[in-house]
Amino acid sequence: MSGTAEPQNAIEVRNLWKIFTSDERSIDLEDKERLKQLEDSDEDTVAVRNTSFSVKKGEVFVVMGLSGSGKSTLIRCLLRLAEPTSGDIKINGWDVCSLDTKQLTEFRRKEVAMVFQHYGLLPHRSVLDNVAFGLKLQSIAKPERYERAMHWIERVGLTGFERYYPAQLSGGMQQRVGIARALICDPPVLLMDEPFSGLDPLIRREMQDELVDLQASVKTTIFFVTHDLDEGMRLGDRMAVMRKGRFVQTGTPDEILADPADEYVARFVQDKRVQLEKANKKKTSTSG
C-alpha cells in the first residue's frame, strides 16, 4: 500500500489502457498509426482507451454501454483479472498495478469483492459454505464465520436455504448468495459486473431493491456495470456512458438524461426521454 494518508476517493484511475494483442507490452501508446492498425485488426482489440475517473467513498458509480464498449474489461482491470496494458489504478490507497502476487491476493481478500454476472458460486458447497468462503480464506474460525454467514443469509432473504446447493436454487436466489458472499467480508469496495442481467424482470427489480436497501445501511462503495439504462438510473449516484473503450459522458443520471454530450449518448437515452415526456404529458392532461 502506498502512503499512509487517508485517500479522498475510493477508486482513482488514470490513463488506463487495455489492449488485447500478442505483444501488448511492447506497444508505444504514442504511436497513433500503430493504434489505428490495432483498431482495424480482426485479431486485436483496444478494449479500454486512455480512461481516467474517480469514485468517491460510499458512492454508487455506474458504468453503462452497449456490448463491446469495454465496460466489463474495465471492471476486470480494477481487480487485475485482466492485466492493464498501461495506466494507474488506486483503490483505497493501494497502488493496484504495482502489487506483487502476494500483495494482490491480500488486496483482493481485504479491500475489494466482486459479484459476477454468472454468480461464480462453488457448486459442491452449500449456501452456508459459499457465503462463508471468503472468511475461510481469511482463516476465520468456523463458528464465527458460520455465525456471520447466517447473518448475511438472513439479510438477503435466504433463511431456510442455508443447506441447499446452488443447483437447487433459482437464478435470483443464486445471485443473492453471490451478494451475501461478497458483503460478508465487509469490503470497502464492491465491484458488480452486470449482476442482474440474467434474471427475470420481477426478480431483477427485487434484487435492485435489495441492493438499494443494503447500500443504505452498509455504505459500501459500489462500482456497477450494466447495459440497462433504467437500472443505471435507479442505482447510480453518478453514471458514465462508455463507447469504444472511452467514457463519453460522466454525470448524475438526471444530468445525462437532460443534456446528452453527443449523438451516441442521445441515442442511448432516447427511449427513456420519450417515456418521461409521455408521462409528463399524461400527468399534465390529467391535472388539467
Side-chain angles (χ1 to χ4, degrees), residues 108-272:
R108 289 172 175 170
R109 287 180 179 176
K110 294 183 177 180
E111 295 295 325
V112 181
M114 187 159 180
V115 180
F116 296 92
Q117 178 178 352
H118 298 294
Y119 321 131
L121 302 182
L122 302 170
H124 302 300
R125 292 180 183 267
S126 67
V127 167
L128 181 63
D129 284 322
N130 263 285
V131 174
F133 187 69
L135 298 182
K136 182 177 181 180
L137 294 178
Q138 295 181 14
S139 300
I140 303 296
K142 181 181 288 189
E144 180 182 349
R145 68 175 184 258
Y146 277 0
E147 180 180 357
R148 290 168 63 177
M150 289 299 294
H151 167 76
W152 279 103
I153 288 170
E154 180 181 0
R155 285 293 303 273
V156 300
L158 286 177
T159 299
F161 291 92
E162 53 271 7
R163 299 297 176 187
Y164 282 56
Y165 288 84
Q168 298 173 288
L169 306 178
S170 68
M173 295 169 77
Q174 289 183 47
Q175 195 57 278
R176 290 172 190 264
V177 176
I179 291 174
R181 183 180 60 182
L183 291 174
I184 192 173
C185 296
D186 193 24
V189 175
L190 180 61
L191 308 179
M192 307 187 79
D193 186 10
E194 301 205 52
F196 308 144
S197 64
L199 305 179
D200 293 335
L202 181 59
I203 300 299
R204 184 171 189 156
R205 179 77 179 194
E206 290 177 356
M207 292 305 303
Q208 292 169 1
D209 289 340
E210 189 72 44
L211 185 62
V212 169
D213 290 343
L214 286 170
Q215 174 64 3
S217 61
V218 301
K219 300 298 182 184
T220 298
T221 303
I222 298 178
F223 187 93
F224 192 101
V225 164
T226 183
H227 64 270
D228 186 299
L229 180 60
D230 287 331
E231 182 169 74
M233 292 192 64
R234 184 153 187 265
L235 298 178
D237 296 311
R238 283 191 303 140
M239 287 171 44
V241 181
M242 197 168 187
R243 182 190 186 200
K244 294 183 178 179
R246 297 178 186 264
F247 285 180
V248 293
Q249 185 171 3
T250 303
T252 67
D254 288 342
E255 288 170 347
I256 292 176
L257 191 63
D259 188 20
D262 62 13
E263 184 179 348
Y264 173 78
V265 181
R267 291 200 307 269
F268 203 93
V269 303
Q270 180 179 4
D271 289 345
K272 187 65 176 179

Side-chain angles (χ1 to χ4, degrees), residues 11-16 51-54 78 88-90:
I11 302 173
E12 294 182 357
V13 173
R14 295 291 176 264
N15 307 119
L16 185 66
T51 298
S52 299
F53 63 92
S54 61
L78 298 183
D88 297 311
I89 301 171
K90 289 185 171 60

